[in-house]
Amino acid sequence: MGGGPAGMMAGYLLARAGVPVLVLEKHADFNRDFRGDTIHPSTLELMYELGLLDEFLKLPHQELRELRAVVNGQIVPAADFTKLPTHCKFIAFMPQWDFLNFLSRHAKRFPAFQLYMEAEAVDLLMENSRVVGVRAKTPRGGLDIHADLVIGADGRHSTVHTRAGLELREFGVPIDVLWMRISKKEGDPKQTLGFFQHGKLLVLLDRDDYWQCGFVIPKGQFEDIKARGLTQFQNDIASFAGFLPDRVAELNDWSKIKLLTVQVNRLRDWCCEGLLCIGDSAHAMSPAGGVGINLAIQDAVATANLLAEKLQHGPVHLDDLRTVQARREWPTRLIQGMQIFIHRRVVTGRRSGGKQTSLPFVLRLMKWFPILRQLPARFIGLGPRPEHVRSPTAN
Ligand SMILES: Cc1cc2nc3c(=O)[nH]c(=O)nc-3n(C[C@H](O)[C@H](O)[C@H](O)COP(=O)(O)OP(=O)(O)OC[C@H]3O[C@@H](n4cnc5c(N)ncnc54)[C@H](O)[C@@H]3O)c2cc1C
């Protein structure tokens, strides 16, 4: 349920194992702006294991081998992916709709796979306290779908976990993101960039003919920013990089600037009889570190590894579903803990002392000792407990 990274990868792998799968996606296509663009080395390794890597890399993308940040005007190498033990030693930047279209195109080769677009799950079907399917809204009317297992992969505003009454723990997040486009010009830098400046952060994602910009703001301050006026906002954005001032006038209407609220939360139980939540539906991720897509995919792989064979023979028990949570919960806790740390110490700039132009101590160490850049590379590029494809293929 849900045609994001978690749902599409779980659907692909289960159908590959011959388990009949129906993925419901509420939108008519995958072309939404506010999705991350990062495909990590661990996800690329999965593509290799599935025999899809060569074709995948033919899609337009950029390869980021070293992560650099511009902190208070100084360029800092922050992560070096070139030493990772994977076939691809880089993060691929690719619009997420290309990634999802690619996965769905390949999943459709399996007779067991079906994808319904514009099908929104609105409720769960219950029988004797067990989830036995979903009720969906489609342009052709309502639809009841019965299933041995419902996988909630419907993202951070999950209908599924809400309807199932699963308990959600929220971890306060002090930031939101403003999302907007600025045109590109000849001579602009050639790659995705992150600019830290006095506790503020602007990320520019290279989308070929335009920059997709994410501006991190303190939570709840969008109205204050609006009250200060568009000119002040344009000046704020322009101050991040020399090539921006002649283009910020494009941001001439607040309707061009979307507010994306950031959440970090986690379900206490990711499952109940007949239902398993994975990806952001089980644990909403912040954009910090750009690892949410990877984690969602890792959940999907673990789900197929642990459940595909059993699902070939019918419904699975609650204890089977709990093995997925048991496997994926601590990597999730670790990453969410890191994101909360980043929000508090890096993005909101609550550091002690230091000149405004100086680099934080950790970043200075990374500048001096290149080997240290391999640690964030492992954490971001592979994540804790990377999964490998172990689920079977259909006979
Ligand atoms: C502003 C922002 C930027 C981010 N940038 C990055 C980044 O650069 N890199 C990164 O790795 N992570 C990033 N993240 C985190 C990342 O987006 C998520 O962790 C990741 O998308 C989770 O994948 P998912 O498949 O679990 O959920 P989603 O990607 O949210 O997919 C859920 C899917 O389910 C569909 N759906 C929802 N409800 C229903 C329903 N009722 N019925 C049917 N379908 C439904 C949705 O349309 C969607 O297609 C960012 C997050 C935010 C907020």
Side-chain angles (χ1 to χ4, degrees), residues 1-6 24-27 32 35-38 119-121 153-156 159 260 279-280 285 287 290-293 296:
M1 259 237 0
L24 304 181
E25 168 52 50
K26 71 175 176 183
H27 290 101
R32 277 171 309 293
R35 291 181 179 274
D37 288 19
T38 50
E120 178 179 359
D154 52 341
R156 60 210 174 105
T159 303
L260 302 184
D280 270 22
M285 305 302 288
V291 290
I293 297 167

Side-chain angles (χ1 to χ4, degrees), residues 11 33 37 112 177 185 217 219 258-259 290 292-294 306 333:
D33 235 2
D37 288 19
V177 176
K185 283 192 182 160
I217 60 165
K219 195 166 234 6
K258 293 194 181 72
L259 173 69
I293 297 167
N294 191 43
L306 292 162
R333 280 171 180 260

